[in-house]
Amino acid sequence: MTPRRPRGAGAFPKPVEPSATPKPDPAELYAALDLGTNSCRMLIAQPKGSQFHVVDSFSKTVHLGAGLEATGRLSRASMSRTIQALRICQRKIEQHDVRRMRLVATEACRRARNARDFIRHVQRETGLPLEIIQPEEEARLAVVSCAPLVSTRTEQLLVVDIGGGSTELVWIDLSSVPRHDRPRAIMRLHAGFHPPESPFPAAKVVDWISVPLGVATLKDQFQDVEDDAARFALMSWFFEENLANFSPYSHQQPREGFQIIGTSGTVTTVAASFLNLKRYDRNKVDGLRMTSDQIDKVIREYLLLGPEGRRSDPRIGWDRHTLIMSGAAILQALMRIWPTDRLSVADRGLREGLLYAQMCADGVLEDGPF
């Protein structure tokens, strides 16, 4: 009998099954799919007030970028795994008769020489219109997804999205925006980092960067280093070196009025470990604020556990244990550069940003950004 792999707080969430509530009107439904270097995730949702209600979801580890660092191409095995996951997404979209959707691919497909062939193959096999988006749009959508977590006291905001193949950082100045309007000003960025003139007070994007290092690509760069602690330290310093061209890097920011929001599986896993969750609970994680000391304590625990200990830790989960230290190295570098009392944890990201952007453009959210 094959032993069951443990699923814990750090594991990718199981698909959410629709409840027995009346079937929503397909005309009200939107789908958003994020195909990254490591995972394939989809949400189907309908507008509800100023937010949205998730009707169905899907998340699966596909390792699309496996071997990409060495070959520059998507492998047959990774493409096959991904298409199997996309077929499930296709069935869900058809089941709910979704008519409005945005299905995007990110860093692995931006870098792979055979990405265009893969996109055409996906269209033939599943009928899904997958598109490759550029880093700026990926960063923008991650920022938009975090708008509900922006404090009205925040004057300088750093949003960090740690992906499988890349990490996006966006620095935003909100000091000229009235306090009550700051979250809404972030939402308005769905139209672009430098939107046209508007009667509304604008959030100013000071700088943004997409670093081609995420949890999978950073891990691949240092997999030949055998010592666990040495590998972690090298990954963290290497990531920091790649931030040298980010303009807010060298400026000492005051802690008062400064907020960092982190969105990624790394950040939510660290939060789940801090809360000692054996089973993941989004309601406890999304919006949690952690201190630098609390984050450092969790990372030290991970290092003490070692690779075998992390593999069996239910707070990390089987799907995440091989990637958690490269993600933690990125997180530690960020907290070292911009020391702050708090990091806001966001269990949200590209999919939510895609949904907000579609719904904002259609004007179906109450009290929306316009």
Side-chain angles (χ1 to χ4, degrees), residues 10 38 162-164 167 213-223 225-240 264-267 269-270 273 295-313 315-334 336:
N38 197 52
I162 305 171
T167 299
L213 292 169
V215 294
T217 46
L218 184 59
K219 169 180 167 284
D220 287 349
Q221 295 244 6
F222 292 92
Q223 58 186 357
V225 180
E226 292 186 8
D227 183 80
D228 191 49
R231 184 169 58 248
F232 172 77
L234 287 167
M235 288 190 295
S236 188
W237 286 109
F238 183 66
F239 183 83
E240 183 175 342
S264 71
T266 294
V267 177
T269 300
V270 168
S273 296
I295 292 168
D296 282 341
K297 184 173 183 290
V298 171
I299 292 174
R300 285 198 302 272
E301 288 175 2
Y302 289 163
L303 285 168
L304 286 171
L305 283 170
E308 290 305 313
R310 294 192 294 268
R311 188 196 307 272
S312 58
D313 190 328
R315 303 171 305 164
I316 299 172
W318 183 267
D319 293 327
R320 181 66 58 181
H321 76 93
T322 60
L323 301 170
I324 189 58
M325 293 318 295
S326 50
I330 293 172
L331 186 56
Q332 188 193 65
L334 297 172
R336 184 168 61 238

Side-chain angles (χ1 to χ4, degrees), residues 67-302:
L68 177 61
E69 204 64 27
T71 66
R73 298 175 62 84
L74 303 175
S75 72
R76 287 186 179 182
S78 64
M79 289 190 289
S80 176
R81 284 192 302 270
T82 303
I83 285 175
Q84 288 176 19
L86 290 170
R87 284 198 181 106
I88 299 172
C89 295
Q90 173 201 13
R91 289 198 291 271
K92 287 178 176 287
I93 288 171
E94 290 178 350
Q95 173 192 343
H96 294 284
D97 194 17
V98 182
R99 300 163 197 174
R100 293 179 177 85
M101 66 189 78
R102 189 114 190 265
L103 318 175
V104 306
T106 57
E107 185 67 13
C109 287
R110 286 196 291 261
R111 293 176 59 187
R113 292 198 299 270
N114 58 341
R116 296 293 172 186
D117 292 337
F118 171 65
I119 297 293
R120 286 192 288 268
H121 189 41
V122 168
Q123 180 81 47
R124 285 195 305 270
E125 292 291 320
T126 69
L128 296 179
L130 198 63
E131 60 176 306
I132 302 171
I133 61 171
Q134 293 307 305
E136 180 174 339
E137 184 171 14
E138 182 178 359
R140 190 170 73 237
L141 291 167
V143 167
V144 167
S145 76
C146 293
L149 300 181
V150 175
S151 168
T152 55
R153 296 189 299 275
T154 296
E155 297 198 349
Q156 302 293 324
L157 173 68
L158 176 64
V159 177
V160 181
D161 181 12
I162 305 171
S166 64
T167 299
E168 282 68 43
L169 294 89
V170 185
W171 194 287
I172 302 164
D173 184 349
L174 289 163
S175 58
S176 64
V177 180
R179 287 192 171 199
H180 71 276
D181 199 43
R182 287 173 183 175
R184 216 175 311 174
I186 296 296
M187 187 77 82
R188 287 199 216 46
L189 292 173
H190 81 88
F193 277 161
H194 304 287
E197 287 299 317
S198 163
F200 299 99
K204 180 186 175 185
V205 176
V206 177
D207 197 8
W208 72 276
I209 189 172
S210 180
V211 182
L213 292 169
V215 294
T217 46
L218 184 59
K219 169 180 167 284
D220 287 349
Q221 295 244 6
F222 292 92
Q223 58 186 357
D224 58 335
V225 180
E226 292 186 8
D227 183 80
D228 191 49
R231 184 169 58 248
F232 172 77
L234 287 167
M235 288 190 295
S236 188
W237 286 109
F238 183 66
F239 183 83
E240 183 175 342
E241 286 177 3
N242 279 266
L243 288 178
N245 293 327
F246 187 48
S247 68
Y249 174 88
S250 59
H251 294 86
Q252 182 64 39
Q253 297 293 332
R255 294 191 178 199
E256 193 67 31
F258 173 52
Q259 182 181 10
I260 297 182
I261 299 179
T263 169
S264 71
T266 294
V267 177
T268 56
T269 300
V270 168
S273 296
F274 166 67
L275 295 171
N276 204 30
L277 298 181
K278 301 299 190 292
R279 208 165 255 295
Y280 189 77
D281 185 341
R282 183 182 189 274
N283 293 326
K284 292 180 179 177
V285 170
D286 188 49
L288 176 73
R289 300 182 74 192
M290 295 184 67
T291 67
S292 300
D293 287 345
Q294 289 166 341
I295 292 168
D296 282 341
K297 184 173 183 290
V298 171
I299 292 174
R300 285 198 302 272
E301 288 175 2
Y302 289 163

Side-chain angles (χ1 to χ4, degrees), residues 34-85:
D34 167 19
L35 177 59
T37 302
N38 197 52
S39 59
C40 174
R41 301 184 179 104
M42 185 181 72
L43 289 176
I44 296 173
Q46 65 183 140
K48 187 174 184 181
S50 60
Q51 301 289 318
F52 55 75
H53 167 69
V54 175
V55 173
D56 205 347
S57 69
F58 175 78
S59 183
K60 187 171 181 61
T61 305
V62 293
H63 299 300
L64 178 61
L68 177 61
E69 204 64 27
T71 66
R73 298 175 62 84
L74 303 175
S75 72
R76 287 186 179 182
S78 64
M79 289 190 289
S80 176
R81 284 192 302 270
T82 303
I83 285 175
Q84 288 176 19

